[in-house]
Amino acid sequence: MAGGLFALLDDVAALVKLSAASLDDVAAGASRAGVKAAGVVVDDAAVTPKFVEGVDPKRELPIIKRIALGSLINKILIILPIILLLSEFLPWLLTPLLMVGGTYLCFEGAEKIFEKFGWIEHHEEPKKESKHGKKNDGDSEKKIVRSAITTDFVLSCEIMVIALNEVASEALLPRAIILLVVALAITIGVYGSVALIVKMDDIGLHMAREDKPGTQKFGRFLVKAMPKLLGGLSVVGTFAMLWVGGHIILIGTDELGLHALYDFVHHLEQPVAMIPAVGGLLGWLVNTFFSLILGAIWGGIVAGIAIGITALMKSGRNDDKEAGVQKDQTSEQKISADTSSPAATSAGEAADAGSPTDHGAGPKPDYAPGQDKDSPKN
């Protein structure tokens, strides 16, 4: 009896150790996946506060809560099952999909740089009510939330695919658990940070009204720091997207058999990686730098093609509009010329003279009413 009890306790202890090891594996996998998705996460945190700019301060946190819930639905109920099925039955498709996502990140980063230098126009932001105006109604909030969730869906796809690529070698169940942990952690982290950023100016205003000079000073600092923080996040997010996207393209081309780019960067990375103590950091910096350059070049090419296609489409639509306007003007000029010609004028006068409604004009008929005008007179 005692032997059976000790055997049972040994089994329980073994299960606990196995569970702890599994949790450690999940934590390590989630950490690796989260680090790789950092570029998209920073950009997500920089983009989302723009959706609640100008709304009633009392509605900012409820709106962010609804966006966060929509983000969780995007990641857990839509994206996660799809990418798990792909990784299980079509694993060869993950590298091309990841490269498509990396290309999108490079394009977004390059487009922001083009906007910064004024080479292309800034995207129009969603229109919102002023804080000093009337409050947003339900329909307006729905539009803001829907727009933010749509943007989040694209970013969430990138986060989940990048995370999946880091744990693709794991079994299906640990892979699913790791991705679930990543989805929850990133969503909570991003939207918790967004909520703090959005309310920073309100917190600062409240502190600035306090009696203590130190509190007032810190409150004013918070109010002034928020625009700079958002600007800094935007810059960091842009470079992070170019770095992550470029690194995805670098690894993807190597896995598809095009080794030249990867071998070139690896050849430059290897000597500095041999330096004691700081070799790992220097090697990472070299890889990151060239990934960033590759992402900027790759994104610039894609953005240039997209801008060119958009310009051609706009030019075609403008040409069609101008042709339509010219056709309408030609038709109007032709009608005006026809109506003002001498022949048309004479015909019009003749028609007016013989019109039955023009009584009293012209000679009277020389036949009696009811008599045929061709019959001989009596």
Side-chain angles (χ1 to χ4, degrees), residues 299-317:
I301 293 171
V302 175
I305 294 172
I307 292 167
I309 293 173
T310 303
L312 286 175
M313 292 175 64
K314 286 183 178 179
S315 177
R317 286 196 295 267

Side-chain angles (χ1 to χ4, degrees), residues 95 186 267:
T95 296
I186 285 180
H267 178 72

Side-chain angles (χ1 to χ4, degrees), residues 318-336:
N318 292 335
D319 290 343
D320 291 341
K321 288 180 181 179
E322 289 177 2
V325 170
Q326 291 177 356
K327 185 177 179 181
D328 292 340
Q329 290 176 349
T330 303
S331 300
E332 290 175 0
Q333 291 173 357
K334 185 176 179 181
I335 293 171
S336 176

Side-chain angles (χ1 to χ4, degrees), residues 181-217:
V181 170
V182 169
L184 289 171
I186 285 180
T187 304
I188 293 171
V190 166
Y191 289 99
S193 301
V194 168
L196 183 61
I197 291 170
V198 165
K199 302 307 290 184
M200 184 185 293
D201 56 347
D202 294 329
I203 295 171
L205 286 173
H206 178 74
M207 294 179 69
R209 296 190 187 102
E210 295 292 328
D211 297 331
K212 296 180 180 179
T215 305
Q216 292 177 357
K217 186 176 180 180

Side-chain angles (χ1 to χ4, degrees), residues 3 10 19 45 47 90 144 162 164 167 182 208 227 238 255 315 344 348 378:
D10 286 340
S19 300
V47 168
L90 298 171
I144 293 172
I162 291 170
L164 174 64
V167 294
V182 169
T238 299
E255 291 181 357
S315 177
N378 294 330

Side-chain angles (χ1 to χ4, degrees), residues 54-57 129-135:
V55 303
D56 185 347
E129 297 287 345
S130 171
K131 283 186 178 182
H132 305 291
K134 59 182 181 180
K135 296 180 181 179

Side-chain angles (χ1 to χ4, degrees), residues 157-179:
C157 284
E158 299 306 315
I159 290 170
M160 297 302 286
V161 173
I162 291 170
L164 174 64
N165 188 62
E166 290 301 307
V167 294
S169 60
E170 301 286 343
L172 180 61
L173 183 57
R175 198 187 319 151
I177 295 173
I178 289 171
L179 292 177

